Structures are given as structure tokens and as C-alpha cells.
Amino acid sequence: MNWIDRLKEKWEIQSTYQFVMIMVVFACTGTSVVFLKKPIIGFFTVDGEQPLWFTIAYWVFILPIYNVILLFYGFVLGQFSFFWAYEKRMIGRFSRKRNATPQE
């Protein structure tokens, strides 16, 4: 079983077309975030120098922006239901870790 088939099984998708569209959504989202970074850095920093506070703030704020862009491209390319479920799983992982209580 190759890596594509393993991902298709993990993500519970059957068609290679849907797999390709999902990969295109991830690629477009990543590319968009990279293109957004330079103007953001230019607007909030002096001479492109990134102080530590800016780097931390950038990573804190880019995650929700990334998720919105991911859903946007998922909608445009017909994969919104997959990415909506993906987002819910990711939020569930974060909330489980934060709300977890130690077992006695």
C-alpha cells in the first residue's frame, strides 16, 4: 500500500480525484499564507526586522487565518465537507488536551 492509499484510507475518501483536490487545497492555502506574510511583516516591522514578540504574535494569529483560508479553498474546490470535518477534528484535539483531567 503506497502513501496515497494510506492517506485515502485515513481520510476515508475513495476517489483519487478527491485526494488530488484535497492536496491542491492544502497547496493553495500554504501558498496564500506565504504570500500574506511579506506584506504583514512590512506593515508591522521596521526594515523587515522581526522582533521576538512579532514572531510569536504572527504564529498565534496565523493559525486561525490559515484555517479560514483552508475552508475558503475547500469551498471553492468542492471539498468543504472534508475540510469542515478536518477542522472539527483538529479543534477537538485541542480541546481534549486542554480539558483533560488527570485520572486518579
Side-chain angles (χ1 to χ4, degrees), residues 40-51 53-54:
I40 292 171
I41 290 172
F43 184 77
F44 287 105
T45 62
V46 177
D47 298 327
E49 186 177 326
Q50 299 177 35
W53 68 267
F54 175 80

Side-chain angles (χ1 to χ4, degrees), residues 13-51:
I13 56 175
Q14 282 72 40
S15 74
T16 302
Y17 172 78
Q18 186 179 11
F19 176 80
V20 169
M21 295 309 324
I22 290 168
M23 291 291 106
V24 169
V25 169
F26 279 122
C28 290
T29 303
T31 303
S32 296
V33 169
V34 168
F35 282 127
L36 286 174
K37 186 176 183 179
K38 188 172 183 175
I40 292 171
I41 290 172
F43 184 77
F44 287 105
T45 62
V46 177
D47 298 327
E49 186 177 326
Q50 299 177 35

Side-chain angles (χ1 to χ4, degrees), residues 3-104:
W3 66 275
I4 293 174
D5 292 330
R6 285 194 301 265
L7 279 177
K8 285 169 56 177
E9 184 178 308
K10 178 181 177 181
W11 291 342
E12 299 174 357
I13 56 175
Q14 282 72 40
S15 74
T16 302
Y17 172 78
Q18 186 179 11
F19 176 80
V20 169
M21 295 309 324
I22 290 168
M23 291 291 106
V24 169
V25 169
F26 279 122
C28 290
T29 303
T31 303
S32 296
V33 169
V34 168
F35 282 127
L36 286 174
K37 186 176 183 179
K38 188 172 183 175
I40 292 171
I41 290 172
F43 184 77
F44 287 105
T45 62
V46 177
D47 298 327
E49 186 177 326
Q50 299 177 35
L52 180 60
W53 68 267
F54 175 80
T55 303
I56 293 168
Y58 175 80
W59 288 108
V60 167
F61 290 114
I62 201 63
L63 182 61
I65 293 169
Y66 177 89
N67 291 332
V68 169
I69 295 170
L70 190 69
L71 289 173
F72 170 76
Y73 280 121
F75 174 77
V76 169
L77 295 175
Q79 300 302 316
F80 183 81
S81 60
F82 172 82
F83 284 101
W84 184 245
Y86 181 85
E87 292 292 330
K88 288 191 287 187
R89 283 191 310 267
M90 187 172 68
I91 291 168
R93 285 186 204 121
F94 287 136
S95 65
R96 270 194 308 251
K97 288 179 182 177
R98 187 177 33 177
N99 294 334
T101 58
Q103 300 294 324
E104 294 182 26

